[in-house]
């Protein structure tokens, strides 16, 4: 297969981790005989610096014309420390979601056996957890009218949803539940919010078309608590934009580390793949960031292109790196030797390309003793 992948490295550790994801994709291209053409595009703080715009028109064009988009991260301490700045990196991502109508964000959360000890939650609570969060991504309070009064003493953000906007993401979630444990939990706040009441009414109606799927409904405050008390009760979770944003980060604790979680954001025509973690500006350029979330984003991208064997090859390589402990500092104990961002990327690419090699050889690479790379 020949395809074009728009790559948006972005800010902070974004460029470092996407470089590792590209290494994995290059290894896949070599083994499975594909051609991946990368088209780099700018978005975020780096684009503000260069073009005065967090999302230049050229980036939108590049993304629209690509078969898939691989995105790193955006954000910079300069903006984080000053929320009053009018032009902000996040606006780039939010506008891209809207321009491409990326209405469905999917976040798979799995407790990897090797990472369970990294989670602050108890082993028997999280082991075996396997959740897919379906978050509506292009509407709701994020994109409603917002304003601060002239005197600066009041402000509002409007949250609105249409039946159409709810239905399209709900159908995707119900379809996914069919491939899984056949359970959906709708997360809302229908005891208080009108939009949540519309979500509930719409989803209950759609559920009639999916009689084989078990629909559960949970208020968002309770869902946040249940995710830490008993995450295994969930299969597919469906939520509106802001609730989805919040419970996703809560659910990350279950996976052991935010450094390994990837997500996809899909629309009718385009799809973007990115790590859950942000720009982690303090680690920028230090070669210590965990590249696994970005590498797993590349796996989701391949799956989206229908290349499931190839996606599995990346997934297996990531699991191998966890098994062998070829991981960055965030997944290690205090005095344990950690691999650098680039070394983890090299290992993953090497494992994809030479799966028949012995573990010993990989361990040597990890220890910096390899002659292969
Ligand atoms: C996410 C992020 C974004 C969001 C920010 C960067 C605007 O937190 O992708 O979850 O809130 O959607
Ligand atoms: Mn978020």
């Amino acid at each position: 297969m020949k395809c074009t992948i728009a790559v948006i490295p972005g800010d902070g550790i974004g460029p470092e981790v996407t470089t590792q994801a590209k290494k994995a994709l290059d290894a896949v291209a070599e083994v499975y005989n594909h051609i991946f053409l990368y088209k780099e595009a700018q978005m975020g703080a780096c684009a503000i610096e260069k073009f005065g715009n967090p999302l230049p028109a050229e980036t939108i064009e590049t993304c629209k014309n690509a078969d898939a988009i691989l995105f790193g991260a955006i954000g910079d301490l300069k903006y984080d420390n000053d929320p009053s700045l009018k032009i902000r990196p996040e606006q780039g991502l939010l506008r891209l979601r809207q321009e491409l109508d990326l209405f469905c964000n999917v976040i798979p959360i799995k407790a990897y056996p090797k990472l369970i000890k990294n989670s602050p939650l108890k082993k028997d609570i999280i082991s075996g957890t396997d959740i897919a969060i379906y978050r509506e991504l292009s509407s709701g309070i994020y994109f409603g009218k917002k304003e601060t009064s002239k005197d600066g003493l009041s402000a509002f953000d409007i949250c609105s949803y249409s039946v159409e906007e709810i239905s399209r993401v709900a159908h995707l979630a119900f379809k996914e539940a069919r491939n899984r444990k056949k359970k959906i939990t709708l997360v809302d706040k229908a005891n208080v919010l009108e939009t949540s009441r519309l979500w509930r009414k719409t989803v209950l109606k759609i559920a009639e078309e999916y009689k084989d799927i078990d629909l559960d409904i949970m208020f968002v405050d309770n869902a946040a608590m249940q995710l830490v008390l008993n995450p295994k009760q969930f299969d597919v979770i469906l939520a509106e934009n802001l609730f989805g944003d919040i419970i996703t980060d809560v659910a990350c604790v279950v996976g052991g580390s935010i450094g390994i979680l990837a997500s996809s954001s899909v629309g009718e025509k385009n799809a973007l793949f990115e790590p859950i973690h942000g720009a982690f500006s303090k680690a920028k350029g230090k070669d210590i960031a965990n590249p696994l979330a970005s590498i797993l984003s590349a796996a989701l991208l391949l799956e989206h292109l229908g290349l499931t064997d190839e996606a599995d090859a990346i997934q297996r390589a990531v699991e191998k790196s966890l098994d062998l402990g070829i991981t960055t500092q965030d997944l290690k104990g205090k005095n344990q030797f950690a691999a650098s961002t680039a070394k983890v990327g090299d290992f993953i690419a090497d494992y994809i390309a030479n799966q028949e090699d012995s573990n010993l050889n990989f361990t040597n690479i990890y220890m910096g003793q390899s002659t292969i790379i």
Side-chain angles (χ1 to χ4, degrees), residues 300-373:
L300 290 178
L301 182 151
L302 294 175
E303 214 175 286
H304 176 80
L305 295 174
L307 305 175
T308 43
D309 287 350
E310 291 83 338
D312 285 350
I314 294 189
Q315 183 77 37
R316 276 199 307 276
V318 167
E319 276 164 28
K320 194 74 181 175
S321 81
L322 295 173
D323 282 349
L324 296 179
I326 303 176
T327 54
T328 44
Q329 190 60 59
D330 54 307
L331 300 182
K332 294 282 186 183
K334 257 203 172 136
N335 297 316
Q336 282 179 304
F337 181 72
S340 68
T341 307
K343 272 270 153 59
V344 174
D346 289 342
F347 167 76
I348 302 279
D350 193 46
Y351 188 76
I352 294 167
N354 309 288
Q355 296 185 34
E356 68 284 359
D357 269 14
S358 72
N359 289 352
L360 184 67
N361 191 18
F362 291 129
T363 311
N364 286 344
I365 293 170
Y366 159 55
M367 300 300 283
Q369 292 162 358
S370 169
T371 49
I372 300 176
I373 50 172

